Amino acid sequence: MRSTRRAATAAVSISLALAGVTAAHADTSTVLYVDGLSTTCTDSGTGTAAAPYCSIQPAADAAQPGDTVEITPTAYVGQLDIKSVGTAAAPIVFEPTPGSSGDVSMGNGVGQTGPVLNFDGAAYVSFAGAAITHMFNAAGVYANGSSHITLNGIHTLPVGIAGLHVTGTSSNISLTRSITNGEQIDSGSSDDVISTNVIDSSLLVINGAPNTTITSNTFFGSSAAETKIGITGGSTGTTIENNIVQYTGSTTDPAISVDSSSTSGSTIDYNVVYTSATPLPYSWGGTTYATAAALDAATGQGAHDINASPDYANTYGTITSSAPQLNSANSAAPGALSTDLFGNSCSADPAIAVTGAGSPAYCDRGAEQQTFSTSLVASTNAQGPLGVALSSSLVQTTTFGTGLSETVTAAPTPAVSYTINWGDGQTQTVQGSSTAAVTSTPHTYPAPGKYTVTDTANLTDGTTIVKTASVATTASSFTAISPQRIMDTRTGTGGLQGYLYAGGCYGLQVTGVDGIPAGATSVAVNLTATSTGGSGVFTLTSGNASNLNFSAGQTVANSAIVPLSSTGVLPVCLNGNASTYAQAIVDVTGYFTQSTGAGYQAATLKRILDTRSGTGAPEAKVGPKTGLSVPITGVDSIPAGATAVAVHVTETNATGNGWIAAQPDGAGGPTTSSLNYAKGQTISNTVIVPIAKDGSIELYNGSPTGSVDLIADVSGYFATSADGYFVPVTSYRAVDTRQTGYALGSDGDEAFPLNTINAGALQGLPAGVSLAVNLTATDETAGGSLIAYPAGTPMPNTSALNFGKGENVAGFGLFATVGAADALSVYNDSPGSTDLVADVFGYFTN
């Protein structure tokens, strides 16, 4: 007695195979079991689960319409002759046992030759395997006088020239999702379907079989120089779409050939046809065409064909997102299945354009629909002081039907757009690069800061990927503070008490001290050396530059703008000889951060105070322990709201020893100093001074007994309305006339390029910026002063540095320059000569 089962049983007719679904039998359908491995099998029984058939033939002979033959995967010997006749509503289905693994292999027995699987007069019969994992392996398939035969998941080996040979008055023979070594369909057959197969190293010959559908096949791996799809003998109405046809041998045989008797009603379109050695892809009606464009122009065929390499990674897919088969098939083509060789649905590669047709329009040509996993990489790189470049790129992996996952070779993404929110209120959308895998998008921020950039990749399948990246400008804005003493080795302020000796460095913690915040990038300081022994040089940076020179017994000060380490530490280092030592004092007047603050605006050098002549104050010396209010805003175009001023302060005609403090007006008794002087000495220093709310600063004479004349020259100011921002550089020595042998002579004026290291290569600074420079006069043959000003402009009547004969004097300044060389003119206003040293610490954007 036959066994029955209540569960639905798969049966694939040709129409259902095209739809990619299976039919369900009636609840009373019969299941016949074949198990060549069973110890209870018998070919004389009825094919029950308990006593299955040992071979397939008895089951085929016994099968009735609607029956399913379940076959345990193993090797079966002997030719199989199928004469079974099912119906459209109740086909006969042969399938590997559900839940089993492996293939059902069918081979010839002793003395047998020719095809193993033969259909003779059969109808509505389906072999329903699954590609790769659950296939029917057959050494040749032959169909004669049969109709509505569906072969799915068959691995056919060739017998003669064909793995599948259809002849006689056959019709509606369907080969789908199979791996085969070629097909031959003879005259007398019609309406056959060859869809979604890998046809490995062989060819397809259709001779006198009208209305054949050849869709979504991959003709792979052949170097043979032969026609891969040959349509002859009146095979009219043939459809050739969505196929990949490739061979690499030199040939005079076209890849696709449709003879003149077969062109009527036939169609070629949406194929990838690639012949690499001697291109000859097509023959249509007896005329050959070297390209799809030529074929289309002459015949209207191949309008969407592509003649480019499919870039296989292996038999089943590509790891190159530029492969022409991706996203480009016609899913509405006759014979197109809803799932591929492995049962996978269409899945777009979202990194490339969708150029196919039908719904969906992103199916792939050939036998496989690849699956892509896509992620976005967004990274930022600083470009100049306020600029950034965002690099947007896609990283992909692809999964082949075998489960193999591969990294996709990065490629340009012109079909993808990137919407970028720069984090400063500005948003833009850019198209992906058409030449590079990485799309680089520049942006300039309106002000220094730390910004979060949001990058959104708009993929071609309608989805988006969002990534964020952080960027910090290299430029910083300024915040002025009332002068604060953060280091004094005489008292231990700052953590070090006692002398610094030559060769010694102390890491002074700056951030977190006296309101200077974490994240400060640079500070404006005044450095004082006192209680000095020997001659020496203080440096506050790691570059080849100096900040303060002193001789034995001197108390001397100089200003600087210097960068901090990532942890907010300032190196205070002393260089000299074995007898060199000194006490160090550091006062801070402001700090720079990558956040909202004040910018810098250079001003035309102008003298705003000279007590010798009554400029800016009464013509009178400033007495001991007396402060002098100096108006700043409203003077020399300095606007209201300016927060600090860069002012060059000079004391002269001193009647005693003392010091000068520069601070906001009304700040009270100063606790810091800006310069130190001795009786009769002329000393100057450029300091950055916070401006009081009344728009003034105060210059305080700290001498207990002596009076002085004071001079103030403004070089620029800080304000939120100004847009010059500070960019520190690794300090370098731009000028040293001791090395060139050309000292500045008496009344000498020379232009020096500061964008170089000792007249060497340009350092990449922007043109015409304001530079933070330390000027040093040395080896003077007479006392005098230096005047520094933008090269090529009128010389002002303001000094940058005052010196005596034989001194080694340094003076800091913010100097406007001109041109790509950032040239600064220096005039020696003395009766003797002097050597000049210029060290650069950074610049303000222009």
Side-chain angles (χ1 to χ4, degrees):
M1 179 180 293
R2 296 181 183 180
S3 61
T4 62
R5 66 176 179 182
R6 306 289 296 177
T9 305
V12 185
S13 69
I14 181 172
S15 61
L16 295 174
L18 296 180
V21 298
T22 59
H25 295 296
D27 286 347
T28 57
S29 62
T30 299
V31 178
L32 303 176
Y33 295 93
V34 179
D35 185 355
L37 300 175
S38 173
T39 58
T40 61
C41 72
T42 174
D43 284 343
S44 60
T46 58
T48 65
Y53 292 116
C54 297
S55 55
I56 303 172
Q57 187 66 59
D61 294 339
Q64 299 297 311
D67 285 352
T68 297
V69 179
E70 291 188 359
I71 307 168
T72 297
T74 188
Y76 295 89
V77 178
Q79 290 182 352
L80 182 59
D81 295 318
I82 308 295
K83 300 181 183 295
S84 307
V85 177
T87 67
I92 297 171
V93 177
F94 293 78
E95 65 180 12
T97 301
S100 63
S101 60
D103 297 338
V104 175
S105 296
M106 298 175 288
N108 281 320
V110 176
Q112 293 180 329
T113 60
V116 168
L117 180 56
N118 297 276
F119 296 89
D120 189 0
Y124 293 103
V125 176
S126 172
F127 272 66
I132 304 300
T133 59
H134 226 195
M135 301 191 76
F136 285 97
N137 293 324
V141 180
Y142 182 81
N144 177 40
S146 298
S147 67
H148 298 93
I149 306 300
T150 297
L151 302 170
N152 189 85
I154 307 292
H155 185 187
T156 69
L157 300 175
V159 176
I161 65 170
L164 170 65
H165 188 179
V166 180
T167 190
T169 56
S170 297
S171 66
N172 295 284
I173 308 300
S174 174
L175 180 68
T176 60
R177 303 183 187 90
S178 296
I179 299 174
T180 178
N181 289 82
E183 291 80 37
Q184 177 179 332
I185 302 178
D186 295 339
S187 176
S189 187
S190 66
D191 300 291
D192 300 318
V193 175
I194 308 296
S195 178
T196 319
N197 306 290
V198 168
I199 301 172
D200 193 2
S201 302
S202 193
L203 63 157
L204 173 60
V205 177
I206 311 297
N207 183 15
N211 302 321
T212 301
T213 298
I214 306 167
T215 300
S216 300
N217 302 287
T218 297
F219 292 80
F220 176 81
S222 175
S223 60
E226 58 191 1
T227 295
K228 298 303 174 186
I229 301 177
I231 312 299
T232 62
S235 300
T236 58
T238 298
T239 297
I240 305 172
E241 287 201 38
N242 294 344
N243 300 284
I244 297 175
V245 184
Q246 178 188 31
Y247 59 75
T248 58
S250 177
T251 183
T252 57
D253 294 327
I256 299 176
S257 177
V258 181
D259 72 5
S260 59
S261 69
S262 304
T263 58
S264 177
S266 294
T267 301
I268 296 176
D269 210 1
Y270 290 96
N271 303 288
V272 174
V273 184
Y274 182 66
T275 58
S276 61
T278 303
L280 193 62
Y282 307 97
S283 176
W284 181 268
T287 301
T288 56
Y289 300 93
T291 65
L295 175 66
D296 179 36
T299 68
Q301 298 296 324
H304 301 93
D305 271 24
I306 301 172
N307 301 134
S309 173
D311 290 333
Y312 288 116
N314 60 25
T315 305
Y316 303 111
T318 178
I319 58 171
T320 304
S321 62
S322 59
Q325 64 266 29
L326 301 176
N327 290 11
S328 64
N330 176 16
S331 64
L337 309 186
S338 61
T339 57
D340 72 351
L341 179 69
F342 304 97
N344 299 319
S345 300
C346 295
S347 178
D349 179 351
I352 63 175
V354 174
T355 59
S359 181
Y362 51 71
C363 292
D364 298 339
R365 305 182 192 195
E368 183 181 10
Q369 303 298 319
Q370 289 185 228
T371 300
F372 290 84
S373 175
T374 305
S375 59
L376 171 64
V377 176
S379 61
T380 56
N381 293 288
Q383 301 288 310
L386 293 172
V388 64
L390 174 67
S391 295
S392 305
S393 60
L394 298 181
V395 174
Q396 291 186 293
T397 58
T398 183
T399 303
F400 305 126
T402 55
L404 178 66
S405 182
E406 294 276 3
T407 299
V408 177
T409 303
T413 56
V416 174
S417 66
Y418 300 94
T419 299
I420 307 166
N421 184 325
W422 293 105
D424 60 355
Q426 300 184 60
T427 300
Q428 70 179 115
T429 298
V430 298
Q431 210 65 32
S433 173
S434 60
T435 59
V438 177
T439 299
S440 183
T441 308
H443 180 71
T444 300
Y445 285 102
K450 294 181 179 179
Y451 299 92
T452 298
V453 180
T454 303
D455 193 9
T456 301
N458 305 299
L459 304 180
T460 58
D461 63 356
T463 62
T464 59
I465 307 174
V466 179
K467 290 288 185 181
T468 59
S470 298
V471 60
T473 61
T474 56
S476 299
S477 59
F478 182 68
T479 300
I481 62 174
S482 295
Q484 301 289 326
R485 180 151 293 174
I486 62 172
M487 182 179 187
D488 190 339
T489 60
R490 299 171 302 178
T491 62
T493 301
L496 176 66
Q497 186 168 10
Y499 289 99
L500 275 168
Y501 294 90
C505 282
Y506 177 71
L508 176 63
Q509 183 65 46
V510 175
T511 58
V513 177
D514 292 328
I516 302 170
T521 59
S522 303
V523 284
V525 300
N526 195 70
L527 171 64
T528 302
T530 190
S531 303
T532 57
S535 297
V537 175
F538 270 109
T539 62
L540 301 178
T541 69
S542 58
N544 179 27
S546 63
N547 294 100
L548 177 65
N549 302 74
F550 62 84
S551 299
Q554 275 190 319
T555 295
V556 60
N558 193 26
S559 296
I561 298 177
V562 285
L564 300 174
S565 73
S566 59
T567 58
V569 172
L570 178 68
V572 181
C573 301
L574 180 59
N575 297 316
N577 53 42
S579 61
T580 300
Y581 59 89
Q583 301 274 12
I585 303 167
V586 178
D587 301 323
V588 176
T589 60
Y591 57 85
F592 295 84
T593 56
Q594 293 165 322
S595 60
T596 302
Y600 177 73
Q601 177 62 57
T604 301
L605 289 170
K606 184 174 181 180
R607 182 150 292 173
I608 61 171
L609 173 70
D610 190 341
T611 59
R612 301 170 303 178
S613 62
T615 301
E619 183 180 342
K621 290 182 178 181
V622 180
K625 296 189 178 298
T626 301
L628 176 65
S629 177
V630 182
I632 297 295
T633 59
V635 177
D636 195 23
S637 302
I638 299 174
T643 59
V645 62
V647 59
H648 187 72
V649 179
T650 304
E651 70 73 30
T652 189
N653 301 325
T655 61
N657 299 337
W659 48 270
I660 302 295
Q663 61 182 14
D665 190 26
T671 59
T672 63
S673 63
S674 301
L675 58 86
N676 300 76
Y677 61 86
K679 180 180 179 180
Q681 192 178 31
T682 297
I683 295 292
S684 62
N685 190 12
T686 297
V687 290
I688 297 174
V689 189
I691 300 173
K693 290 182 178 180
D694 67 358
S696 300
I697 65 171
E698 180 185 63
L699 298 180
Y700 182 87
N701 177 18
S703 174
T705 58
S707 300
V708 294
D709 277 313
L710 293 178
I711 304 166
D713 302 317
V714 170
S715 57
Y717 62 88
F718 292 87
T720 56
S721 60
D723 57 5
Y725 301 107
F726 184 66
V727 182
V729 300
T730 300
S731 59
Y732 63 91
R733 183 148 291 174
V735 178
D736 191 341
T737 61
R738 297 172 301 180
Q739 293 186 7
T740 62
Y742 295 99
L744 280 172
S746 174
D747 201 30
D749 192 356
E750 185 174 346
F752 294 96
L754 298 186
N755 191 6
T756 63
I757 294 180
N758 290 341
L762 289 176
Q763 294 302 292
L765 307 186
V769 293
S770 293
L771 294 176
V773 180
N774 199 62
L775 297 179
T776 303
T778 188
D779 301 328
E780 307 93 339
T781 61
S785 64
L786 297 179
I787 299 174
Y789 58 99
T793 65
M795 184 172 67
N797 185 30
T798 58
S799 64
L801 183 65
N802 299 81
F803 54 85
K805 178 181 178 180
E807 292 182 338
N808 198 12
V809 180
F812 176 75
L814 301 181
F815 299 105
T817 63
V818 296
D822 291 310
L824 183 73
S825 285
V826 180
Y827 173 74
N828 177 19
D829 186 15
S830 82
S833 64
T834 181
D835 276 312
L836 175 69
V837 176
D839 296 325
V840 178
F841 296 86
Y843 65 91
F844 288 89
T845 60
N846 51 10

